[in-house]
Amino acid sequence: MTGYGRAEAEFHNKKITVEIKSLNSKQFDINLRIPSVYKDKEVEIRNKLLQIIERGKVDFTIVIDSSDKSPANKINRCIVESYYNEIKEIARTLEIKEPDDWFSVLLRLPETIKTEAIESDEEEWRMICQAIDEASKTFIRFRIQEGEMLEKVFIEKIQNISILSKEIEKYESERIEKIRVRIRESFHKMEIPYDENRFEQEMVYYVDRLDISEEKARLSNHLSYFSETMTTEKSQGRKLGFIVQEIGREINTLGSKSNHAGMQKIVVQMKDELEQVKEQILNVL
């Protein structure tokens, strides 16, 4: 969900710059920084960006630079002169010293600075909307490029997990036989007599508890579902996140049931591949 878009436009003696930045977030959270004259357009901007971005922590900025050097704030000469004369009269009447820094005193008094009201311009706003559209297109292109990169990463990691899950099979029969031999050796060392039939019955129960057929089947289904979901056109970031959680549960169960050094090593490798998917899944819209 990270993205960046920027566009510029010229209107008379003004340069309009629109910038859109987006970071990962579960919801749509936007911070607007726009000229005060267009504060009434906030809702319109929010709705426009929501349709484009859908979710993410967004910083949106409109900057208008004018080559007009005339200041918007001006000193109110009449008010300043009135204050000046009045203060001099009070100082003379009360026989007190006049201020050393007249400007510092006068300019802090009320209404000595007047601000010329700036009105919104519909033609200028149309130019701003065009700049927003252009910045949005750049933003979307940025996301598409990142999405293509992430798709390659996900395909690679999911395929790696699938390959690793198949490598577990070569250890399954081996680990059962090792468990059988280990238990027999323990009985012999402790010189404990046992019934062979009862031993085999207990082994069936023990092996059943360590059986990972269901976990492997579910893991395979989750991996296929992830790949299938990833190719759909609709935004599926949240759904992919849930599937990754299910993949993680099956891998953890395989690890707890493995009871074999070789299998546990493979499980660690699978977890490493999945962790890399988790790190990037928040970038998916």
Side-chain angles (χ1 to χ4, degrees):
M1 285 180 295
T2 57
Y4 179 79
R6 177 187 171 93
E8 295 181 353
E10 298 287 341
F11 180 75
H12 297 329
N13 60 341
K14 298 178 182 178
K15 179 182 177 182
I16 300 167
T17 304
V18 175
E19 193 173 63
I20 308 172
K21 297 178 183 178
S22 173
L23 297 174
N24 299 329
S25 178
K26 293 181 179 180
Q27 307 298 330
F28 179 72
D29 180 17
I30 185 168
N31 176 35
L32 294 176
R33 293 194 295 274
I34 61 177
S36 58
V37 68
Y38 291 115
K39 285 294 183 182
D40 61 321
K41 304 292 186 180
E42 278 195 14
V43 175
E44 181 181 341
I45 294 172
R46 285 177 184 272
N47 292 336
K48 190 181 189 72
L49 294 176
L50 176 59
Q51 294 176 0
I52 298 167
I53 299 174
E54 296 189 37
R55 65 189 179 110
K57 185 176 177 60
V58 182
D59 285 321
F60 177 83
T61 307
I62 297 175
V63 177
I64 301 177
D65 292 325
S66 176
S67 59
D68 185 1
K69 301 302 181 181
S70 58
N73 297 332
K74 295 185 178 180
I75 297 175
N76 194 328
R77 295 176 64 101
C78 293
I79 295 293
V80 172
E81 288 177 6
S82 177
Y83 280 137
Y84 176 76
N85 294 329
E86 191 169 351
I87 291 172
K88 283 183 70 70
E89 179 62 24
I90 292 172
R92 186 184 61 79
T93 303
L94 298 179
E95 296 183 351
I96 58 177
K97 184 182 178 182
E98 295 180 3
D100 293 327
D101 187 355
W102 277 101
F103 273 108
S104 177
V105 173
L106 293 172
L107 294 181
R108 285 201 298 265
L109 295 173
E111 299 182 12
T112 55
I113 303 295
K114 61 180 180 180
T115 302
E116 294 183 353
I118 302 175
E119 297 182 356
S120 60
D121 187 311
E122 285 302 318
E123 188 177 350
E124 181 180 85
W125 174 244
R126 282 195 294 271
M127 291 295 296
I128 292 173
C129 288
Q130 291 178 16
I132 293 174
D133 291 339
E134 188 59 37
S136 299
K137 291 176 183 177
T138 307
F139 179 87
I140 292 170
R141 286 196 296 268
F142 185 100
R143 273 190 166 181
I144 290 173
Q145 291 174 358
E146 184 181 36
E148 291 172 348
M149 179 195 70
L150 289 176
E151 183 181 22
K152 293 178 182 177
V153 172
F154 291 154
I155 290 173
E156 178 189 351
K157 300 306 174 185
I158 293 300
Q159 286 178 344
N160 289 345
I161 293 173
S162 179
I163 292 169
L164 287 168
S165 68
K166 290 180 174 59
E167 291 183 8
I168 288 177
E169 295 175 2
K170 64 184 179 183
Y171 294 110
E172 288 189 69
S173 58
E174 177 186 329
R175 70 172 180 146
I176 299 303
E177 186 58 33
K178 282 188 175 182
I179 292 171
R180 188 191 302 274
V181 171
R182 187 169 66 246
I183 294 175
R184 285 185 186 278
E185 288 178 350
S186 298
F187 283 150
H188 289 311
K189 285 180 180 179
M190 293 183 289
E191 298 181 350
I192 299 175
Y194 62 90
D195 180 73
E196 187 65 30
N197 291 332
R198 179 62 184 273
F199 175 79
E200 291 299 330
Q201 290 175 3
E202 294 295 331
M203 279 299 301
V204 169
Y205 171 75
Y206 190 72
V207 169
D208 185 61
R209 291 183 59 188
L210 295 178
D211 182 61
I212 58 173
S213 300
E214 291 184 8
E215 285 77 10
K216 288 194 301 179
R218 285 196 295 267
L219 177 59
S220 178
N221 289 337
H222 292 329
L223 294 174
S224 298
Y225 192 30
F226 184 96
S227 299
E228 177 188 334
T229 303
M230 189 171 57
T231 58
T232 58
E233 294 183 5
K234 187 178 179 182
S235 301
Q236 296 286 7
R238 290 189 180 94
K239 191 172 183 179
L240 289 173
F242 296 144
I243 298 173
V244 166
Q245 291 178 15
E246 294 302 318
I247 293 173
R249 289 191 183 97
E250 300 306 331
I251 292 176
N252 287 334
T253 306
L254 286 173
S256 63
K257 284 187 172 184
S258 62
N259 203 14
H260 187 284
M263 290 175 64
Q264 288 172 342
K265 182 179 179 180
I266 291 174
V267 167
V268 170
Q269 291 174 326
M270 292 166 71
K271 286 183 177 181
D272 180 55
E273 297 289 341
L274 186 64
E275 193 62 32
Q276 294 178 59
V277 175
K278 287 181 179 179
E279 289 175 0
Q280 298 295 337
I281 202 70
L282 292 175
N283 284 317
V284 181
L285 186 59

